[in-house]
Amino acid sequence: MIKNENTFTYSSHETLILPHGLKTMPKVKSLFPFKKNTGILHKCINENLINVEFYTQSHVIIYNIAGIETITSYDCKSIEIKEKDLLFLPKDNYLISDFIKNNKQLEAYMFFLDEDIIETFLSKQKKVRHSPKNKEIFYKMPSNLTIDEYIKTLKNTSKTMQHSSDFLEIKILELLYLIDNTDTHKRLQDFLSYNNTYKDKRNIISLMKRYYLNNFSIQDFATLSGRSLSSFHRDFKTIYHTTPHQFLVNLKMQHANKVLKEENKTISEIASNLGYENISHFIKAYKNKYNITPKQKQKNHL
């Protein structure tokens, strides 16, 4: 299962859920009360963060004030955001963030948009929207003087209206209109419209092989692949003639077998790293595949 943990100690087995996983973290402040998954966060990070894995539960617009952050997608596409860049991230995506301090802190505002506020914005637009041929996982654009001024006043505004969720919606809609007003190609509208309606059906096997150590549930993999849970099960069984659960177990047992042969780890450590809370369940799964117990396997390679 994707974990909803608030911690600066990251590993390949921890995934931060955005936005709520950020809200109680040090150096991250909510400017207004959140309304569902809509809100504005200000972050100011003073330490290196490497391979920070996160999952977006709502659409995100990031305005970068200082520092350079690199965002990498599930298929290894990367984008770098610098001072006064705007980055647009769609919901339901697994991404990785990297930041090297280099004498500068990482400071940014993060605007989280749920479906309701996106529909409010899109419903007032006259442009006939279409689905782009190639969906963008993310894209960025430079800021402008009007948006820069909006950002400068945002912090002071939040101090006087910090308890108003209604004012939160006004400020987010204001940002969307400011961006859209200078966006001659209406890229923002297409991006929000597409990502609020469609999901690409990504390659199931490549996702599971890439992330099987992240302790994701089958529901998590279905979401990442752009499918409903029932569609994910159906497509998987049709194409690969097995269940997602069994395929995932096989991947984990293959990894366990390699670790037992090559690394000096306890059985409980291996089981825990593979997401097994009950060690007996791990032992049973391993024995079902290899006809010996993990302990016997270890003894054979001493």
Side-chain angles (χ1 to χ4, degrees), residues 15-249:
T15 301
L16 196 64
I17 306 300
L18 271 57
H20 298 292
L22 285 172
K23 286 167 63 177
T24 58
M25 292 177 67
K27 306 297 184 181
V28 177
K29 180 183 177 182
S30 180
L31 272 63
F32 303 96
F34 264 67
K35 195 172 184 179
K36 296 183 180 178
N37 276 339
T38 293
I40 305 173
L41 294 179
H42 174 254
K43 68 177 181 180
C44 192
I45 309 299
N46 289 297
E47 58 183 294
N48 293 339
L49 297 177
I50 307 299
N51 289 330
V52 178
E53 303 177 17
F54 65 95
Y55 180 83
T56 55
Q57 283 190 324
S58 57
H59 306 277
V60 190
I61 299 176
I62 300 174
Y63 177 94
N64 205 42
I65 297 173
I68 299 175
E69 184 176 14
T70 301
I71 305 293
T72 304
S73 69
Y74 73 95
D75 57 354
C76 298
K77 293 179 181 177
S78 294
I79 194 165
E80 191 176 75
I81 49 173
K82 301 178 181 179
E83 183 179 339
K84 294 187 178 180
D85 276 343
L86 286 161
L87 178 67
F88 301 82
L89 303 175
K91 66 174 290 188
D92 293 333
N93 267 272
Y94 172 85
L95 302 162
I96 297 173
S97 168
D98 290 290
F99 165 65
I100 304 296
K101 188 175 177 182
N102 287 336
N103 299 320
K104 269 196 175 183
Q105 63 185 9
L106 177 63
E107 184 179 4
Y109 282 99
M110 305 178 74
F111 301 83
F112 296 91
L113 322 172
D114 67 13
E115 288 86 349
D116 292 342
I117 199 162
I118 290 173
E119 283 303 318
T120 299
F121 169 71
L122 292 176
S123 67
K124 300 181 185 300
Q125 309 308 314
K126 295 179 180 179
K127 180 179 181 290
V128 177
R129 297 181 297 275
H130 61 278
S131 301
K133 292 181 180 179
N134 297 310
K135 179 196 169 188
E136 297 172 294
I137 299 170
F138 39 51
Y139 81 94
K140 72 174 181 177
M141 62 179 284
S143 182
N144 56 54
L145 291 176
T146 305
I147 295 173
D148 293 343
E149 191 60 33
Y150 163 88
I151 294 295
K152 287 178 184 177
T153 62
L154 188 60
K155 199 167 187 178
N156 289 332
T157 303
S158 70
K159 289 179 181 178
T160 57
M161 304 295 291
Q162 59 182 323
H163 301 299
S164 173
S165 58
D166 291 333
F167 203 73
L168 162 70
E169 185 171 330
I170 292 170
K171 295 307 293 181
I172 286 187
L173 286 172
E174 181 184 354
L175 175 65
L176 294 178
Y177 289 129
L178 288 174
I179 294 171
D180 188 60
N181 190 50
T182 57
D183 183 6
T184 55
H185 297 291
K186 301 304 176 187
R187 196 177 180 189
L188 173 65
Q189 290 187 36
D190 286 338
F191 183 80
L192 291 178
S193 178
Y194 184 88
N195 285 294
N196 212 39
T197 309
Y198 303 94
K199 289 183 182 178
D200 282 348
K201 288 191 174 182
R202 302 169 189 157
N203 186 281
I204 296 172
I205 291 295
S206 65
L207 279 172
M208 295 186 80
K209 285 184 175 179
R210 185 181 295 275
Y211 301 127
Y212 72 95
L213 291 178
N214 289 71
N215 200 18
F216 288 173
S217 69
I218 300 302
Q219 176 65 71
D220 295 330
F221 280 112
T223 301
L224 287 171
S225 75
R227 294 167 172 83
S228 67
L229 183 59
S230 59
S231 176
F232 185 80
H233 275 284
R234 184 178 61 252
D235 289 354
F236 202 100
K237 193 73 181 285
T238 300
I239 299 170
Y240 303 108
H241 309 293
T242 187
T243 65
H245 173 74
Q246 189 56 54
F247 184 82
L248 194 57
V249 170

Side-chain angles (χ1 to χ4, degrees), residues 251-298:
L251 284 177
K252 290 185 175 185
M253 292 308 104
Q254 289 168 15
H255 179 81
N257 197 49
K258 186 173 185 294
V259 173
L260 287 166
K261 289 191 293 185
E262 300 176 3
E263 300 181 29
N264 185 27
K265 288 187 176 181
T266 66
I267 305 300
S268 61
E269 281 180 312
I270 298 170
S272 177
N273 288 341
L274 290 172
Y276 285 90
E277 295 180 3
N278 189 323
I279 191 171
S280 64
H281 292 167
F282 166 69
I283 294 171
K284 182 179 179 181
Y286 186 88
K287 189 173 182 180
N288 284 342
K289 182 167 179 62
Y290 294 107
N291 295 319
I292 60 172
T293 67
K295 194 170 187 65
Q296 289 171 324
K297 182 70 175 181
Q298 273 187 329

